[in-house]
Amino acid sequence: MDKLRNLSEKIGAGAFDSTFAWLYGENRAQQQRARYTEAIGEFEALFGEGREGRIFSAPGRTEVGGNHTDHQRGRVLAASVNLDVIGIVSPNEEGVIRIQSKGYPRDEVRVDDLKARKEEQGRASALIRGVAARFEELGYRIGGFDAYTTSDVLGGSGLSSSAAFEVLVCSILSGLFNDGGVSPIEAAQISQYAENVYFGKPSGLMDQMASAVGNFVTIDFEDLKKPDVRRVDFDLQKSGYKLCIVDTGGNHADLTADYAAIPQEMREVAACFGKQVLREVPKEEFYSRIGEIYPQVSNRAVARAIHFYEDNDRVPQQVAALTAGDFPRFLDLVIASGRSSAAYLQNLFPVSDPAHQGLTVALALSEKLLFGHGAWRVHGGGIAGTIQAYVPEDLLENYCETLEKVYGQGSCHILQIRPTGMCEVTEQLGR
């Protein structure tokens, strides 16, 4: 374990440049020197100089295929991106986990006091306590450490900044106290446990899994206890396309009811067959009995069920296209998924506020600019927020300029698929 000051000097001298290029892409590598050295300086100002330490990272994620399929135990395709949360970390002998995240109050958790606290729900300390508790329950070692974290994962963008934070804590505990022996899949499951049980949010597993595993990853949630997780090796950088996430500004109304209605209505359809979720109802049975169930639920619920079945089937087709290197086929499937989300899932704007349709306009502009050349779709949960586009490099400048005229400077984020998930950041990483 190096002195943090020595690590800072190495980073400033360029020793980590190849690591940064591998993690973040050539165009974002240089700015990481300043980001990392500044973070080390902040750690020393908060926790003292002259300490030995290490650096850990966990990325945000983008949903690629399977829109609103995970809560029905369906299939998804996701990928880690080159935005992340990094932690400057040094162990302590006090049995206390102290994490100071940039822009937030400090969180402190004693490792001998890991019972869930109701009053702590919704706070970062609940995630830290939950991760540590689950490590201990599974027989892993835990201990105290001090950490300063900083994140460039866009909050509220559908890139899952909270999952990245949870996975980062797992990566730190694995690296400091367990010789890196906690697998990415197990780290994702631990993170989900912390979010569900301690934080109080009944999230699925997609966000944590994509952050922990890295690159493209496909997940089949048919068996929730043992989800089928497979890494999909595809280098988007060599495709001639760029991944863009466009932030449309969203809607500031309470959208909880709109989001909750999607799984609720899908479950209402499943209940017509005596099942809890649509994955338990065979697709052929659904279509053969659609006339029977049509009068029993809302028309929108039936449409949303149709989206589930078709988008769930698209995921393995997307995986096959990427595996075969057939990117045009992949783009066609992205467009088909997006159109299904818009027409059948209907998650582009809140029913309570139909006048605000930022996502609809962004998708319309994207289709005009990219038709026959790229792909576009709603990103993440929808209702408000972001769209995803795959843009040919020769159209990128015009695409971003056009969208930013509508949604503001900096609203079009050009991202790369990150080749790894949670990791310790070292000079040798990626070599």
Side-chain angles (χ1 to χ4, degrees), residues 66-214:
N67 193 213
H68 280 281
T69 54
D70 58 336
H71 50 67
Q72 298 300 298
R73 291 186 14 216
R75 307 180 185 100
V76 298
L77 176 63
S80 57
V81 298
N82 60 336
L83 301 175
D84 67 347
V85 53
I86 62 171
I88 311 300
V89 184
S90 180
N92 64 51
E93 301 298 327
E94 301 161 58
V96 179
I97 297 173
R98 303 185 187 93
I99 299 182
Q100 176 69 62
S101 297
K102 184 177 181 179
Y104 293 91
R106 181 181 297 186
D107 293 295
E108 294 194 8
V109 171
R110 291 198 59 84
V111 298
D112 59 0
D113 180 15
L114 298 177
K115 290 184 179 180
R117 301 180 178 183
K118 190 169 184 180
E119 70 275 10
E120 199 175 50
Q121 288 187 351
R123 293 162 50 190
S125 56
L127 296 174
I128 300 165
R129 197 181 306 275
V131 167
R134 190 61 174 160
F135 261 70
E136 193 170 58
E137 288 173 8
L138 294 172
Y140 291 113
R141 293 185 295 275
I142 59 174
F145 64 84
D146 299 321
Y148 175 80
T149 77
T150 180
S151 175
D152 59 8
V153 182
L154 310 167
S157 64
L159 296 171
S160 298
S161 55
S162 60
F165 178 80
E166 298 155 12
V167 171
L168 178 72
V169 176
C170 286
S171 184
I172 293 169
L173 289 174
S174 176
L176 289 186
F177 306 111
N178 296 278
D179 298 322
V182 179
S183 73
I185 291 175
E186 193 164 22
Q189 292 169 329
I190 291 170
S191 297
Q192 183 199 25
Y193 171 88
E195 187 158 315
N196 291 174
V197 178
Y198 278 68
F199 191 77
K201 180 180 177 182
S203 67
L205 188 58
M206 177 179 70
D207 296 350
Q208 293 87 351
M209 198 68 76
S211 177
V213 175

Side-chain angles (χ1 to χ4, degrees), residues 40-52:
I40 292 173
E42 290 291 338
F43 176 95
E44 292 183 324
L46 290 164
F47 299 112
E49 297 181 359
R51 295 185 57 174
E52 295 183 336

Side-chain angles (χ1 to χ4, degrees), residues 362-374:
L363 291 169
L365 290 172
S366 297
E367 182 170 6
K368 177 176 175 58
L369 293 166
L370 301 177
F371 185 79
H373 301 285

